[in-house]
Amino acid sequence: MPTQRTHDTEQVLEARMNIRVAVNGYGVIGKRVADAVRVMPDMELVGVADVATDWRVRTAVGLGLDVFAATTDAGTAMRAARMPVAGTVADLLSQVDVVVDTTPKKVAALNLEAYRAAGVKAVFQGGESHATTGHSFVAQANYATALGRDTTRVVSCNTTSIVRVLGALQDADLLARARGVLIRRATDPGESHQGGIMNTLVPESSIPSHQGPDARTVRPDLDVVTIAAKAAHTQTHTHFWTLQLTRVASREEVLEALRAAPRIAFIRMADGLTASNTTVELMRDLGRPRGDMWEVAVWEDVLTVEGDEAYLTYQVNNESIVIPETIDAIRALAGTVTDGATSIATTDEVLGMRRDFLPDPSA
């Protein structure tokens, strides 16, 4: 973690009101959100809720987190397994300002009424539909429109990357339209023993795939079409984009636009980062928690610009890219930080995010 605080973080500290946060669902995303909340200077993790009694929830107990039972049956099972139970999910909601729901796809929407009844603001994840909240969130694009809302939905990992990267070019008045191919991981690494795609590739059954339309829930004027397929690997997604620019531009102009945006970092084939597994290994070597990569990793030396067309390739860590967005969504709903850039800068500084993962030898 950085030792020097920026002006943005100092502003948050000076004006801060600790936001009391609950995490409902201690899985792939939930445990990462819980960790991030714990290190933020303006947040307090009150507890986590779950239905399981396995190693994942026992890890939370071992880390000293207060664990609440998400259902009555879960509470009975937890006590039978001799796990300490801090109370019910209703008890947890009575103590917090914001709940982050990271329960499985389509389960979260069923929890919405309970959050409303408790008077608690709620952040959902991209597995739920836009209609669940009526608002979809990527911090750099629409932080202001989430301020003070009761609910929002942080879009999926792939959609988050699309809004970050294409949004950066759109903000620089460089992007006319985008056509992308996504090669998606088959399943999360921790669930690969439960089945998955092996020795094959499965195209999605419709064009566009859902990510392009989903990106327009955040940026309605984005001209984007996506095609996707699942492949037989478990770590990260890879995107390949053909971009029609608004005018003839140089490669340096496109790079400058990407560098001006938050949460985009650069990797280079010339450094030996030639495949997704090498980037995963780099994150471990950099000491990232769980090997997480919160940034979109753009291959800088693959980026090609010819006249008014650009071609780029980037990598998305499906387990972690939405974590900083979720932290910013908490602040936006709570209304404690009204400026999106300030929230983004604080989150990124505390997590230790980068612009370049390795020094550029040409710099």
Side-chain angles (χ1 to χ4, degrees), residues 46-68:
V46 176
V48 301
D50 210 285
V51 297
T53 60
D54 63 9
W55 64 271
R56 291 165 293 189
V57 182
R58 289 184 180 275
T59 300
V61 173
L63 291 172
L65 305 185
D66 285 335
V67 175
F68 292 76

Side-chain angles (χ1 to χ4, degrees), residues 184-299:
R184 302 174 58 204
R185 61 93 180 97
T187 188
D188 287 328
E191 297 177 356
S192 58
H193 64 291
Q194 297 175 353
I197 296 168
M198 295 298 295
N199 198 32
T200 189
L201 184 146
V202 183
E204 290 205 6
S205 59
S206 63
I207 298 175
S209 60
H210 72 273
Q211 294 86 4
D214 198 27
R216 285 197 291 270
T217 67
V218 180
R219 282 186 175 259
D221 56 345
L222 196 62
D223 186 342
V224 57
V225 175
T226 50
I227 304 171
K230 286 185 180 179
H233 66 280
T234 63
Q235 293 178 313
T236 79
H237 309 296
T238 305
H239 289 219
F240 305 86
W241 287 94
T242 299
L243 309 175
Q244 179 68 56
L245 305 179
T246 56
R247 57 179 173 79
V248 172
S250 68
R251 183 175 181 275
E252 289 67 31
E253 285 180 283
V254 174
L255 276 174
E256 183 180 348
L258 295 174
R259 287 191 178 279
R263 297 172 181 172
I264 297 171
F266 292 89
I267 55 177
R268 290 172 287 275
M269 292 271 183
D271 290 327
L273 296 168
T274 57
S276 59
N277 62 296
T278 60
T279 308
V280 171
E281 189 70 8
L282 173 62
M283 294 305 107
R284 292 172 179 149
D285 289 346
L286 292 175
R288 287 290 181 87
R290 300 186 180 89
D292 285 348
M293 182 172 70
W294 305 293
E295 306 89 341
V296 178
V298 175
W299 268 287

